[in-house]
Amino acid sequence: MGIRRQRGDRDARIGMRPIMRLAARLGVVATVLATLALSGCGGRDGPANEALPNGQHNAGYDLAGMNASSGRPDILILVGISGGGKRSAAFAHGVLRGMRDVPVSLPGGPPSTLLAEVDQLAGVSGGAFPAAHYALHGARSFERFPEDFLYRDIAAYVWGTYVLPWHWGWLVDPRIGTNDRMAEVYDDVLFQGATYGDLMRRGRPRLSINATDLATGAAFPFLPFSFDVICSDLARFPLARAVAASNGFPLLFTPITLTNHRGPACSEPLPIDLSRRLGPGEYYRMQLFETVRRMADPARTRWLHLMDGGISDNLGLRTALNFIELGVTEDAHYVQQMLPVRRVVLLSIDGQSQTDPALSNQRMVNGLVQIFDAVSGSQIDNYNLETQARAQAIGQQVTRGQRDARCARGRTYEGFPCDDVQALFVRIALADVADPARRARLRAIPTGLTIPREDVDALLAAGEEAVRANRGLADFLAGATDVAGATPPFQPRR
């Protein structure tokens, strides 16, 4: 019995030898690959976002200042570009192209164009790419962006992050994530080391890149307000990292992490007064106040882990709406600077497709990707509708507030009736393409980061045509007061 056991043990050891040799070789290979990855990437030694000097705040990039600094001060135009991968990016870039041909002829100022009068350009997820590229490069974006991004195989860089060993730093260094690698890619092909400081020096339009705080699910805009809350210097933050955070699709990419610098070394007051008493029905404002309060508390928030902005707002509109709800626009200095404004346009560029209704005619739905797309798509569609309803309501609120502020100075302001103020919410959407066959083809284009050249060209053309064909927008910018969807016109005072 003992002899048989000894022979069995020896046979087992002999049978294990090939496996042990293979394991040893794999260990050597893993060590070499880890060394390659570390030598190629090298972790970051400090925080990704620099601290503000004590007692300072992020100045020089406020919306009121942008509107007053150049362009027509009597018009305020806010643009949001939706998520939806390269499909949304191409459609939005086409809309931006077409906006050059939409005239602004509102009485009271020189003729201009819709694009030239944009004060804030917000982008989320796929929409962050055209927004950031135009904000940085201006008119040159129309020459460069298609080749820099739209026609480029960005998906190859994503695959390279996972299959090329020299990009495997994220496997062995906890300070590196897959989205850190993509931020490097975006910087190389689109932004060439640009920071928000470069945008501040360029001026209008102000850029708002929107991500989602993974801990709270709240929208996080890369704007002075948010960086003041965490006492961080926005001017030194790389533009590519903001775009990477906004496009950080869950599971595929890791979060972009920011450090909360608020604490003993930061004595600058918060940008809003959280002690303000709120009414019993101000539920949304209460929620926003709590989000800011939590973000400002280093005991509860040491780091912010940011992912795809489409999780919290796939239209790129809620940041502007949230600032109004927070009361930022009620600041006396802001109100004074904005007194000339008579027309407000909130423009939504929506390249997102809708959930496929064909699922209701399928007996079985088993694919994980299909289920994920359906669930996330339905949530996004429903949330988008709520955002659009809020945009309409906020437009009415802004109109009332602006009329009250102007009329408190007299019956007229700069030659126009004080209550001659209107707001318009406009949606330029891929889903509204008139021809059914063309619409179906465009909406079937996937949301990935690489799509065929002919699809890019089709989306560009659709975007240009859509904004040029919007008569309501053109009429509103020409001074018409009876445009469908606009807030009610003022009534001349007797």
Side-chain angles (χ1 to χ4, degrees):
M1 189 76 176
I3 295 175
R4 283 198 300 270
R5 183 179 298 125
Q6 290 175 1
R7 287 178 178 174
D9 292 344
R10 183 186 64 184
D11 292 343
R13 287 195 299 272
I14 293 173
M16 286 293 293
R17 284 173 184 169
I19 298 175
M20 294 170 67
R21 285 196 297 268
L22 177 60
R25 290 171 181 170
L26 288 176
V28 171
V29 171
T31 301
V32 171
L33 293 179
T35 303
L36 284 171
L38 283 172
S39 63
C41 289
R44 294 187 307 274
D45 294 326
N49 55 306
E50 302 294 335
L52 278 169
N54 194 19
Q56 294 188 19
H57 66 280
N58 290 282
Y61 207 51
D62 61 291
L63 181 59
M66 284 284 179
N67 179 260
S69 64
S70 62
R72 292 190 52 163
D74 57 344
I75 302 174
L76 180 67
I77 298 179
L78 311 176
V79 178
I81 302 179
S82 80
K86 193 167 280 189
R87 180 187 61 215
S88 179
F91 179 73
H93 188 67
V95 173
L96 293 176
R97 282 182 174 182
M99 288 167 62
R100 297 176 297 180
D101 302 321
V102 177
V104 174
S105 54
L106 179 73
S112 185
T113 68
L114 175 57
L115 185 63
E117 296 302 327
V118 173
D119 296 289
Q120 177 168 295
L121 185 57
V124 58
S125 196
F129 294 100
H133 199 269
Y134 176 74
L136 179 63
H137 298 294
R140 288 186 300 152
S141 179
F142 300 117
E143 302 170 4
R144 296 179 49 179
F145 187 65
E147 294 296 336
D148 286 353
F149 181 75
L150 295 178
Y151 297 140
R152 191 186 292 263
D153 184 6
I154 300 296
Y157 294 98
V158 179
W159 286 112
T161 301
Y162 286 92
V163 303
L164 298 178
W166 48 89
H167 294 318
W168 286 358
W170 55 273
L171 282 174
V172 291
D173 189 339
R175 296 169 297 174
I176 298 173
T178 54
N179 219 3
D180 294 303
R181 155 67 181 160
M182 293 310 298
E184 295 175 357
V185 171
Y186 303 148
D187 194 57
D188 288 342
V189 303
L190 292 169
F191 306 118
Q192 294 79 47
T195 66
Y196 260 83
D198 295 301
L199 298 180
M200 294 173 185
R201 286 183 286 273
R202 277 192 57 87
R204 296 169 64 247
R206 184 170 86 150
L207 176 69
S208 174
I209 296 298
N210 304 335
T212 300
D213 178 7
L214 194 58
T216 64
F220 180 93
F222 285 82
L223 284 175
F225 180 94
S226 306
F227 272 60
D228 281 345
V229 172
I230 62 173
C231 293
S232 185
D233 190 347
L234 178 63
R236 289 192 282 173
F237 195 82
L239 186 54
R241 291 189 65 79
V243 172
S246 183
N247 193 60
F249 189 78
L251 304 181
L252 184 61
F253 298 120
T254 53
I256 293 289
T257 298
L258 304 185
T259 299
N260 183 7
H261 294 289
R262 184 162 287 276
C266 175
S267 59
E268 183 69 13
L270 289 173
I272 59 169
D273 180 9
L274 295 178
S275 65
R276 172 179 173 177
R277 182 180 296 275
L278 301 179
E282 295 183 279
Y283 301 115
Y284 197 82
R285 183 171 283 190
M286 290 178 189
Q287 182 184 27
L288 292 175
F289 271 40
E290 177 55 29
T291 298
V292 175
R293 189 177 290 111
R294 177 189 175 105
M295 188 165 62
D297 184 357
R300 290 195 289 172
T301 305
R302 295 178 63 188
W303 296 281
L304 290 96
H305 305 290
L306 304 178
M307 298 207 69
D308 197 308
I311 300 171
S312 56
D313 169 26
N314 202 51
L315 291 179
L317 298 176
R318 296 188 83 94
T319 294
L321 305 182
N322 289 349
F323 282 164
I324 296 170
E325 289 279 10
L326 283 167
V328 175
T329 58
E330 298 169 15
D331 175 77
H333 182 65
Y334 178 94
V335 171
Q336 181 64 38
Q337 285 189 293
M338 285 295 197
L339 284 174
V341 173
R342 296 189 297 121
R343 296 293 182 270
V344 178
V345 176
L346 187 58
L347 174 59
S348 173
I349 303 175
D350 185 3
Q352 176 71 21
S353 184
Q354 295 180 349
T355 306
D356 185 3
L359 289 178
S360 300
N361 291 323
Q362 294 180 212
R363 173 63 181 85
M364 301 291 291
V365 180
N366 295 323
L368 290 178
V369 173
Q370 191 179 31
I371 293 172
F372 182 83
D373 283 347
V375 172
S376 61
S378 298
Q379 290 179 329
I380 287 173
D381 290 344
N382 293 334
Y383 202 45
N384 285 354
L385 289 173
E386 196 270 339
T387 299
Q388 293 171 42
R390 276 197 66 216
Q392 294 279 8
I394 290 293
Q396 296 177 8
Q397 178 182 330
V398 168
T399 299
R400 290 193 301 268
Q402 192 68 3
R403 286 175 178 173
D404 290 344
R406 286 162 57 91
C407 291
R409 272 77 176 174
R411 294 174 63 94
T412 63
Y413 191 87
E414 295 187 346
F416 290 90
C418 64
D419 50 2
D420 180 16
V421 179
Q422 282 187 277
L424 175 68
F425 172 70
V426 183
R427 180 173 176 257
I428 306 293
L430 186 62
D432 294 333
V433 171
D435 180 73
R438 186 186 186 196
R439 180 173 65 247
R441 176 179 175 266
L442 293 174
R443 294 175 67 191
I445 297 173
T447 60
L449 289 175
T450 297
I451 59 178
R453 191 182 189 98
E454 58 271 20
D455 287 345
V456 169
D457 292 338
L459 289 162
L460 289 170
E464 286 192 65
E465 294 168 17
V467 70
R468 289 172 181 163
N470 194 299
R471 292 310 314 160
L473 176 59
D475 291 344
F476 187 77
L477 295 173
T481 60
D482 57 349
V483 175
T487 53
F490 75 100
Q491 299 296 325
R493 300 191 176 196
R494 299 178 180 179

